Amino acid sequence: MAPSATTTATTATQNGTTTLKAEKDPLMEFKYGGYKQVGPNSKDIYQIRIPEFRSLEDERAFRKLHQAAALRWLGAQGYNNEGAGGHVTVRDPILTDHFWINPHGKSFSHMRPEDLVLVSKDGEVKEGGNMHSINPAGFVIHSAVHEARPDVVAAVHCHSVASKAFSSLGCELEMINQDACRFYQDHGVYAGFGGIAWDPDEGEHIAAALGDTKGVILQNHGHLTVAKTVDGAAFLFGAMDRCIQAQLLADAAAAGRKTSTIKIGHEEALFSRNLYNDEMVYIMFQSAFEDVVRASNGELPMYVQGEIRRV
C-alpha cells in the first residue's frame, strides 16, 4: 500500500473523551526540491523552483534559453539522428497563439536561443525570430497540440529507435517499474497512422489521442510529450523513451522465461504518478540543463536577466 499523505493524531476534548484528527504528515508533503528538514531547530534549505520573472520579455528569454538547452540535450542523447526530423516547440508568453520551434535541418547539438523560429498559428514565420524554414510536419503536429491544449507550454517529439519499435504494437506502457508510474492513466495511444503529418487532419488526430494527458505514443511513428515547461516536456520525453526501452527488454525476457512481468497495483501507481506534478518534472530536468550549460563553454548562460528565484 502506498504511504498516506495524512496521519491521525489523538486529541483530548473537554468531556474527557478522545478523538482522532487527520493531520498532514510533513515528511510526505511534496516540497518542490526534495526532502525538507522538520523540527524546532531546522534551517531553511535551498529548493529548486520554477522561477518568476520581472517581465514577459524576461520570461520569453527564459523559455528560449531552456528550449535551446533542451534541444542540445536531445542531440546529446542521440535523438537528432533522423536527418531533419524531430521538433521542440514552446508557446510564446506574449504572443500566446505563436510558438518557437527549432529551424528545419539544423543540428540540435549547437542550438542557441537566437536560432529559434517564431511561427504563428497559421504557419507564418514571423520577424523577431530566426527567419528560417521549419519542418512542415512539425508545424502540423505541434500547432494542433498547442491549439487543443491552452495549458501546454511546450511539446517534444522525436523518433527514437525504441519508440519506433514499441509504437508498432499499438499499446500503452505497462506499470512494470516505478518510473513508468509517471505515465499511469496519463498517456494515450494514437491508434492510426495517416502518413507523414503534412495534412492538418493528422495533427488533429494526434492532439485528440493526447487528450488531457502528458504524452502520447504514435502508432508506427514515435512518441510525443507535453508539459507546462520545456524542461518538463524534455524530461518526460526521455523518461517515456527509457520506460519504452525497459518494457521491450522486460517483455522479451519474460517471453524467453515463459512467464509474465509483475505489474504495480493501482493505488501504488496512482500515488507515484501524483508526485510527478508540473514543478517536479521541471526539477527533474535541471541536472541535464546544468550539464548542457557547462558543456557550452559560456555560449549559454545559467540564468537570464529578470529571472526571480522562488522560495
Side-chain angles (χ1 to χ4, degrees):
M1 182 67 68
S4 172
T6 62
T7 58
T8 56
T10 303
T11 59
T13 63
Q14 289 182 344
N15 61 11
T17 61
T18 59
T19 59
L20 292 178
K21 179 182 177 183
E23 294 181 346
K24 283 188 176 181
D25 182 346
L27 298 182
M28 289 306 302
E29 188 178 357
F30 180 58
K31 295 294 184 181
Y32 304 103
Y35 179 80
K36 183 170 179 135
Q37 291 175 290
V38 295
N41 298 316
S42 63
K43 304 294 184 184
D44 288 339
I45 58 175
Y46 179 79
Q47 299 179 75
I48 297 173
R49 304 292 302 272
I50 299 172
E52 295 176 336
F53 307 94
R54 291 194 172 90
S55 69
L56 289 175
E57 287 78 11
D58 294 331
E59 185 171 5
R60 173 188 278 170
F62 174 88
R63 290 187 184 185
K64 291 176 66 180
L65 169 63
H66 284 248
Q67 182 178 3
L71 283 157
R72 288 192 183 208
W73 178 79
L74 289 164
Q77 302 303 307
Y79 294 120
N80 191 209
N81 58 2
E82 296 292 336
H87 5 89
V88 175
T89 55
V90 173
R91 189 185 302 274
D92 188 76
I94 300 172
L95 305 169
T96 57
D97 60 350
H98 291 51
F99 56 81
W100 298 88
I101 188 170
N102 47 294
H104 195 202
K106 300 291 288 183
S107 172
F108 286 11
S109 300
H110 304 283
M111 201 64 60
R112 303 168 301 167
E114 55 265 39
D115 295 324
L116 299 169
V117 180
L118 180 64
V119 60
S120 73
K121 66 178 182 179
D122 300 317
E124 182 182 356
V125 173
K126 307 292 284 189
E127 292 183 356
N130 182 11
M131 298 300 290
H132 194 287
S133 63
I134 61 174
N135 187 320
F139 170 76
V140 166
I141 294 170
H142 289 254
S143 62
V145 168
H146 284 287
E147 180 72 19
R149 291 282 301 274
D151 62 307
V152 163
V153 168
V156 175
H157 169 57
C158 298
H159 308 158
S160 76
V161 173
S163 68
K164 285 188 287 188
F166 186 74
S167 67
S168 69
L169 305 176
C171 62
E172 294 183 358
L173 284 169
E174 294 180 333
M175 299 302 107
I176 59 171
N177 56 63
Q178 175 178 291
D179 292 344
C181 294
R182 298 184 182 112
F183 304 98
Y184 179 59
Q185 297 182 341
D186 206 11
H187 71 291
V189 174
Y190 171 37
F193 177 67
I196 294 176
W198 282 27
D199 188 332
D201 287 347
E202 185 72 355
E204 292 172 6
H205 294 155
I206 290 170
L210 172 68
D212 62 356
T213 70
K214 61 169 64 92
V216 60
I217 296 166
L218 310 178
Q219 187 173 290
N220 307 112
H221 189 168
H223 69 292
L224 176 145
T225 54
V226 298
K228 288 183 170 61
T229 61
V230 67
D231 308 73
F235 168 75
L236 289 171
F237 182 87
M240 179 174 270
D241 195 41
R242 290 187 292 275
C243 288
I244 286 169
Q245 294 177 48
Q247 185 164 334
L248 290 171
L249 289 169
D251 286 348
R257 295 170 64 88
K258 295 182 172 57
T259 187
S260 299
T261 55
I262 297 170
K263 312 302 190 294
I264 294 171
H266 167 73
E267 290 190 17
E268 292 80 3
L270 189 64
F271 172 81
S272 300
R273 185 201 74 189
N274 288 343
L275 289 180
Y276 283 95
N277 60 23
D278 298 314
E279 193 145 39
M280 174 64 99
V281 295
Y282 168 84
I283 292 165
M284 297 295 284
F285 189 73
Q286 294 317 295
S287 57
F289 176 75
E290 181 181 353
D291 286 343
V292 167
V293 170
R294 291 181 182 275
S296 76
N297 296 316
E299 191 172 22
L300 299 181
M302 192 69 73
Y303 305 99
V304 300
Q305 186 175 1
E307 183 176 332
I308 303 170
R309 184 184 140 208
R310 289 170 58 224
V311 295

